[in-house]
Amino acid sequence: MTTYARKKAQLESRLAAAGGARGLSVRKSTSNLFRDRGAHRGARIDLSHFNGVVSVDAAAGVVEAEGMVTYEALADATLAQCAVPAVVPQLKSITLGGAVAGIGIEASSFRHGLVHDTITSMDVLTGAGQILTCTPDNEHRDLFFGLPNSYGTLGYALKLTARTVPARRCVELRHLRHSDPAAYFADLERRCTDDGIDFLDGVVFSRNELFLTLGRFVEHAPEVSDYGLERIYYQSIRERSSDALTARDFLWRWDTDWFWCSKNVGAQHPLVRRLLGRRRLNSITYQKVMRWNARHGVTRAWNRIRGIHAESVIQDVDIPIARAAEFLAFLHAEVGILPIWICPIRAPDPVRRATLYPLAQGTPSVNFGFWDVVASREQRPTGFVNRAIERKVSELGGVKSLYSDSYFTEAEFWAIYDREAYGALKRRYDPDGALGDLYAKCVRRA
Ligand SMILES: Cc1cc2nc3c(=O)[nH]c(=O)nc-3n(C[C@H](O)[C@H](O)[C@H](O)COP(=O)(O)OP(=O)(O)OC[C@H]3O[C@@H](n4cnc5c(N)ncnc54)[C@H](O)[C@@H]3O)c2cc1C
């Protein structure tokens, strides 16, 4: 028996003894969810040990791995065979199953789509307590296409097969500066069909300072930069027009400073960087600090003393590329968070589209990532800015990720995320509601 087969057999006998999957909830030491949820009631079945790489076949362009494997471990296993998963989300602790259930993206998404578009097969533990193999063509294809954006409410992916692409030792970068948003998004769209690049993303630093970063695998670079300690990757984008990183450093270029959010915990100060050291300069450290702060309310108390009303705005939204400049203008006018991360996404294949994540059809979309606090002197209704963003995204035909706060009414939510299809999936794979409801989990934080 392989290790995975043994773990699976043990899980099956535990489920049989427990009488099904009621109360099933994954126990993990890290999470990239950004909404606080009520304490979990009931027993948890620990799936955290489903965290290994099963096999890598770089020649065939596939990696088989368990659902709770981190992308750091997955990328290391594939890099050893000169390959990388086709889409590697930017944070080391994101897991393969979490990135499918919660929508993973990266600078290769302009070519390969979102993480779930790179998956060819999944073993899913359903709410009904069965472990089913789902592929795009078999009798469980509805679950295969239903799992993306289901946040563990249909089942947990225990093992997945993902596509890989060949990698080289280094990635060469070009940072192109623009000053006009319309020209910027036109350039972005044009480059989405450029076969000469492997990666494409961007950063908006101000109204007239917008960058595209073009990346290309190369075997050798005359010199490679190090952004793991003293220097900070996002700052380098404004400072130099070309650069090179090792392939591994490139994959984690955003993790060291959590894009730029490390500034919120003082980790961009040279002394703090030295004290933290390479091992602790990463998103896992910052998440721990932020969660501790949220639990103990330190920033909340400080804001109260200063008479400031602060709203956390941590969002990733996907907008059809033709409306991207309009959305950016809205962000500048109504939200004011900078920098903004920009990442194009290939138009979804109409035959393989994710049922619960309705990206615009027939056109690339642009992911806007903006993560900060919006402060105001006036008392506003709860979720005031987040609500405005939700309305604008819907107006422009976009779709919002659900890993953070959402304020949709139930009717609005299900008009976007396909109540009918979700209901059919629930009836088939979680008939007793063992895993909870998507709206309750993502909006009511149940
Ligand atoms: C600040 C911030 C920045 C982010 N940046 C990026 C980014 O740059 N790129 C990117 O791709 N994503 C990004 N994300 C989103 C992230 O990919 C998703 O939140 C993803 O779901 C996290 O995966 P995880 O493994 O940490 O899962 P968790 O946070 O542990 O879980 C997320 C959800 O998925 C469910 N889940 C977990 N494992 C499984 C499984 N095996 N099968 C089924 N369901 C499962 C859980 O029940 C939970 O509801 C970001 C999130 C935050 C908060």
Side-chain angles (χ1 to χ4, degrees), residues 304-349:
R304 253 197 318 274
I305 292 166
R306 293 185 304 154
I308 285 178
H309 303 281
E311 180 177 346
S312 165
V313 178
I314 312 272
Q315 300 294 353
D316 275 73
V317 305
D318 299 335
I319 305 291
I321 201 158
R323 313 297 297 273
E326 206 179 322
F327 186 72
L328 181 60
F330 160 82
L331 281 184
H332 287 318
E334 307 293 335
V335 181
I337 291 177
L338 288 168
I340 300 162
W341 185 58
I342 299 291
C343 185
I345 309 164
R346 188 191 72 188
D349 177 343

Side-chain angles (χ1 to χ4, degrees), residues 50-53 65-71 73-74 93-97:
F50 282 87
N51 62 353
V53 176
E66 293 168 353
M68 304 336 137
V69 71
T70 64
Y71 263 95
L74 194 60
S93 66
I94 291 177
T95 61
L96 180 57

Side-chain angles (χ1 to χ4, degrees), residues 103-181:
I103 308 296
I105 182 174
E106 224 295 81
S108 57
S109 290
F110 78 101
R111 177 156 304 138
H112 302 293
L114 296 165
V115 165
H116 57 258
D117 294 314
T118 70
I119 303 297
T120 57
S121 167
M122 292 189 266
D123 279 7
V124 179
L125 166 60
T126 67
Q130 293 172 302
I131 300 174
L132 304 173
T133 299
C134 313
T135 72
D137 314 303
N138 74 1
E139 72 272 32
H140 299 300
R141 66 189 299 279
D142 55 347
L143 186 54
F144 182 87
F145 292 116
L147 209 80
N149 210 36
S150 67
Y151 285 87
T153 65
L154 294 174
Y156 283 97
L158 299 178
K159 185 175 67 114
L160 304 94
T161 306
R163 281 192 294 110
T164 63
V165 294
R168 304 258 177 102
R169 253 192 261 268
C170 301
V171 176
E172 198 177 70
L173 301 176
R174 273 194 301 148
H175 305 303
L176 308 179
R177 187 180 164 154
H178 281 265
S179 55
D180 171 56

